[in-house]
Amino acid sequence: MCESGPRESQDLSLQRILEDVIDEVPVSFAERKVLRQLIACGTGELGHHYLVCDHCSAMKVVGRACKNRHCPNCNNGRIAEWSAKREEELLPVPYERYEFGLPSALHRWALRYKREMYGLLLKAAQDTVLELAKAPESVGVAPAVMTALHTSTRTLNYYPHAHVEVSAGGYDAEQDQWIPTKEGALIAPLDQARDLFRDKVLEGLDLRRRHGRFSDGDRPEIELLSDGRWSVWMAELREKRWPVSGGEPFGGGLQYLRYLSRSVYRVPIANRQLLSYRDGEVVFQYRDR
């Protein structure tokens, strides 16, 4: 991985790399199906569009796009559409941003049980902000909240985390007035947010375990499901420092929303970031912030 360098060739793309490695990487049936769609995108394997000029009747045959949300070639229109709708929903007030991440000890668990863990992560993050905002010492009412899931860093390391954009205040319907946060204070103080988020995730884990959500298959994680091992593991997780951060968004609420919109319908790495691909090794560039 590096920050700059010449591009190896103009046809270097994720499609080319995936086509080369798809039969070698260990992925599930559903994941392999997605990869096949990405490889076939625009090649004609998915069908064709016939474009005819209204003036000269010249015809051009174009391969259909896969329109899969993981495809680096598709979804630019969806990004713009989604961003425009969310911008209409933004209130004319200051906003705050929060990031709630799972500790590394839970990353393997999240990879194995994506549906359960990602849902729990998003709900715990949103409920944490709402609960702290509605406390009397904060604004006492519910703010406007938007939550987005990210699963990797800029360097493509696996890191499941939730971004929460929240209005710096809330509307009190009984008094018919907007109640802003106190000057210099966050709507969800970080120390309280970190502890409450941790407790909500651990409670959610325990509830799902008791309902048998994690007991499928012969997996290394299953040994943790015995009462003794589980209690020890929960205690170990409680002692860890959970990655929670927050503050005023750089550039304001609108700029932060546009940053989040780029990740909703776009994969973590784009073709323009690829620098070289040789002997199974991919070199790509990223912006170091």
Side-chain angles (χ1 to χ4, degrees), residues 81-100:
E81 181 181 356
W82 185 90
S83 181
K85 288 181 178 179
R86 299 294 82 76
E87 288 179 21
E88 291 178 359
E89 297 168 353
L90 275 181
L91 301 175
V93 298
Y95 274 81
E96 297 174 4
R97 55 150 187 92
Y98 294 87
E99 184 180 304
F100 295 86

Side-chain angles (χ1 to χ4, degrees), residues 230-244:
W230 184 265
S231 298
V232 172
W233 192 47
M234 289 292 101
E236 291 174 352
L237 288 172
R238 189 172 295 279
E239 292 301 315
K240 294 185 179 297
R241 182 174 178 82
W242 289 53
V244 174

Side-chain angles (χ1 to χ4, degrees), residues 44-58:
E45 289 187 32
L46 303 176
H48 298 86
H49 290 292
Y50 295 87
L51 307 180
V52 181
C53 178
D54 292 337
H55 300 288
C56 66
S57 299

Side-chain angles (χ1 to χ4, degrees), residues 38-277:
L38 269 55
I39 292 171
C41 183
T43 65
E45 289 187 32
L46 303 176
H48 298 86
H49 290 292
Y50 295 87
L51 307 180
V52 181
C53 178
D54 292 337
H55 300 288
C56 66
S57 299
M59 184 174 68
K60 182 179 180 180
V61 181
V62 179
R64 288 182 182 272
C66 67
K67 296 185 179 180
N68 190 286
R69 70 182 183 88
H70 301 89
C71 182
N73 301 319
C74 299
N75 299 316
N76 284 332
R78 291 185 180 183
I79 294 172
E81 181 181 356
W82 185 90
S83 181
K85 288 181 178 179
R86 299 294 82 76
E87 288 179 21
E88 291 178 359
E89 297 168 353
L90 275 181
L91 301 175
V93 298
Y95 274 81
E96 297 174 4
R97 55 150 187 92
Y98 294 87
E99 184 180 304
F100 295 86
L102 295 178
S104 58
L106 279 174
H107 289 185
R108 189 180 73 170
W109 200 269
L111 272 173
R112 172 68 187 92
Y113 302 103
K114 294 184 181 70
R115 182 183 296 273
E116 295 290 344
M117 293 300 296
Y118 293 166
L120 173 58
L121 167 62
L122 289 171
K123 182 170 175 30
Q126 178 172 291
D127 288 353
T128 293
V129 171
L130 288 173
E131 187 171 324
L132 292 176
K134 289 188 285 187
E137 57 270 24
S138 185
V139 293
V141 292
V145 174
M146 188 191 75
T147 309
L149 173 70
H150 286 188
T151 56
S152 65
T153 64
R154 290 183 182 273
T155 56
L156 301 190
N157 292 318
Y158 182 64
Y159 175 51
H161 57 288
H163 286 275
V164 182
E165 184 169 16
V166 54
S167 60
Y171 175 68
D172 188 329
E174 293 184 1
Q175 301 183 45
D176 191 24
Q177 66 176 358
W178 180 263
I179 301 179
T181 55
K182 298 175 183 178
E183 186 175 354
L186 291 175
I187 201 169
L190 292 183
D191 286 343
Q192 297 178 40
R194 186 175 294 109
D195 292 345
L196 185 58
F197 172 69
R198 175 202 62 201
D199 292 345
K200 287 185 178 297
V201 171
L202 294 183
E203 289 171 6
L205 278 172
D206 196 51
L207 178 64
R208 285 160 175 76
R209 176 228 178 200
R210 286 188 276 113
H211 283 83
R213 302 286 183 83
F214 302 132
S215 58
D216 57 323
D218 182 18
R219 303 281 178 172
E221 295 89 347
I222 299 305
E223 64 185 25
L224 283 171
L225 296 177
S226 63
D227 290 339
R229 288 292 305 278
W230 184 265
S231 298
V232 172
W233 192 47
M234 289 292 101
E236 291 174 352
L237 288 172
R238 189 172 295 279
E239 292 301 315
K240 294 185 179 297
R241 182 174 178 82
W242 289 53
V244 174
S245 60
E248 295 182 1
F250 302 108
L254 178 59
Q255 188 67 24
Y256 187 62
L257 173 63
R258 289 174 177 172
Y259 161 73
L260 293 180
S261 71
R262 293 195 293 270
S263 301
V264 174
Y265 285 108
R266 183 177 292 174
V267 292
I269 186 169
N271 287 331
R272 65 178 180 276
Q273 295 173 255
L274 300 173
L275 298 177
S276 69
Y277 173 60

